[in-house]
Amino acid sequence: MGLSFSTWRAGGYANAAVPRRADPVTLQQLGGQTMGTTWSLRFDNPRMLPLEQVREAVDAALARVVAQMSHWEPASDISRFNRAPAGSRHVLPKEFADVMSCALRWARISEGAIDPTVGPLVARWGFGPNAETNGSPTPDAIAELRVRTGWQQLEFDEARGTLLQPGNVTLDLSGIAKGFAVDHGVEALHGLGLTDLLFEIGGELRGIGRRPGGQPWQVLVNGESSVAQRIPLADMAIATSGDRWHRREHEGRRWSHTIDPRNGEPVAHALASVTVLHAQCMQADALATVLTVLGPDDGLAFAERHDIAALFIGHGDVGPRATRAWTAQAGA
């Protein structure tokens, strides 16, 4: 019933530290590090594939995502695009193109609540590989940076998988790439013939198939609160976004790492976290970001309008609010 073998709580989940005594020998575990966080895998291995073969498949898939989409890596495809001259058109690898397509779709539908060009604002507020640490920016500084942002500036040819660098645009896919990496890892494991597994990267999870014995994989959402809820992940993914774990403070002001691309400011509403269920972890990751930016009221309305399974957790005594789709899928 746990989702990894080290107690992990950063994403609002709690897990068993060790396998249960009754677990069969075919239920196996692996873990490692990637993208500045950890990954963990539990899987039914009836053919007893060598663990090293399974690990190599995961590592290769994650390395591919990092090489394409990590803005922390100077040699990655995304970093090269960010340095490219104005007017240059770039052929994106398939995985990169798939993520861009998803990001731009939700940018359009949400009217900019998620924006792959938000990198300069994220850095100026003190987050990411190019983080500035000299306090919060002035309104003039924000206005100047916003000239460099805006998903509408991107000319993405989805059919050809090409993207135009309009000049001085900096992509940041951190609000979606980790979810895609979960999906990409699951695809690699599928390629080995594994059909029953739970894969997690830094809090984003996807469960396919079932545990040995036929029960669905399960995770505990909001595990450290009185409203903890155990969720079955039967061919589903789950992702959480919020301000519980990444914040900055300067001269008495505290702010979230989630930047609203529409005004260039950190979100300042009463939400602590938003958790989303979706068949694809990439989609769940992107939507959790969208709903966090939109906030408790607009976010809930957006989620209901688009039939998104989402759980909104507020700060302090603000109780949880769930969409109809969440109640139906999570069995609440």
Side-chain angles (χ1 to χ4, degrees):
M1 294 171 69
L3 54 96
S4 73
F5 294 92
S6 59
T7 300
W8 174 80
R9 300 180 184 275
Y13 306 92
N15 4 281
V18 295
R20 300 179 304 183
R21 187 180 300 275
D23 281 339
V25 69
T26 59
L27 181 60
Q28 298 187 321
Q29 62 175 0
L30 283 172
Q33 295 185 335
T34 188
M35 302 179 186
T37 185
T38 60
W39 64 265
S40 63
L41 170 67
R42 297 194 76 176
F43 63 109
D44 188 17
N45 189 11
R47 294 186 294 130
M48 299 305 287
L49 295 175
L51 291 183
E52 192 56 34
Q53 181 183 4
V54 178
R55 178 182 295 278
E56 287 175 357
V58 173
D59 284 343
L62 299 183
R64 192 154 44 244
V65 176
V66 169
Q68 293 181 24
M69 288 171 267
S70 174
H71 60 301
W72 293 82
E73 297 293 333
S76 68
D77 292 308
I78 195 171
S79 294
R80 289 199 297 271
F81 176 88
N82 290 343
R83 297 191 300 265
S88 57
R89 183 165 285 277
H90 302 256
V91 179
L92 304 184
K94 180 183 182 303
E95 295 82 7
F96 194 165
D98 287 345
V99 172
M100 281 302 304
S101 178
C102 179
L104 290 173
R105 174 176 181 264
W106 287 114
R108 182 180 67 256
I109 294 172
S110 69
E111 298 182 344
I114 187 172
D115 190 332
T117 71
V118 77
L121 288 163
V122 172
R124 185 58 189 85
W125 283 102
F127 303 99
N130 302 309
E132 299 183 33
T133 58
N134 54 341
S136 57
T138 65
D140 286 346
I142 293 173
E144 184 177 338
L145 289 172
R146 290 187 65 199
V147 173
R148 295 176 50 195
T149 67
W151 62 273
Q152 301 92 336
Q153 299 184 50
L154 295 174
E155 293 185 22
F156 176 56
D157 187 329
E158 186 169 0
R160 294 180 172 83
T162 64
L163 185 64
L164 181 72
Q165 167 60 274
N168 210 26
V169 164
T170 303
L171 296 180
D172 179 351
L173 297 174
S174 57
I176 185 173
K178 188 168 61 173
F180 174 81
V182 172
D183 293 332
H184 199 51
V186 167
E187 289 176 8
L189 294 164
H190 253 306
L192 295 180
L194 297 173
T195 58
D196 300 279
L197 58 94
L198 181 68
F199 186 48
E200 171 258 330
I201 302 176
E204 322 296 6
L205 303 100
R206 183 171 168 185
I208 62 170
R210 293 182 174 268
R211 291 176 52 91
Q215 293 299 311
W217 304 101
Q218 296 185 353
V219 296
L220 193 63
V221 178
N222 208 42
E224 295 181 343
S225 81
S226 61
V227 294
Q229 184 179 3
R230 191 169 295 281
I231 305 297
L233 282 188
D235 296 321
M236 294 294 289
I238 193 167
T240 296
S241 177
D243 68 356
R244 296 180 178 184
W245 315 288
H246 303 291
R247 299 183 67 89
R248 284 190 58 81
E249 183 172 356
H250 182 75
E251 296 181 349
R253 180 181 180 184
R254 301 178 71 238
W255 60 87
S256 165
H257 75 293
T258 302
I259 308 302
D260 186 340
R262 301 169 301 173
N263 60 21
E265 297 271 352
V267 296
H269 47 59
L271 276 181
S273 67
V274 180
T275 300
V276 173
L277 280 166
H278 195 283
Q280 285 186 305
C281 201
M282 173 178 67
Q283 302 284 350
D285 200 5
L287 287 167
T289 300
V290 167
L291 299 180
T292 298
V293 168
L294 291 177
D297 297 323
D298 291 347
L300 183 65
F302 182 92
E304 292 287 17
R305 191 161 60 248
H306 294 281
D307 198 29
I308 298 166
L311 178 68
F312 296 75
I313 302 294
H315 286 292
D317 296 330
V318 180
R321 303 167 71 189
T323 63
R324 291 187 297 270
W326 175 276
T327 302
Q329 295 185 35

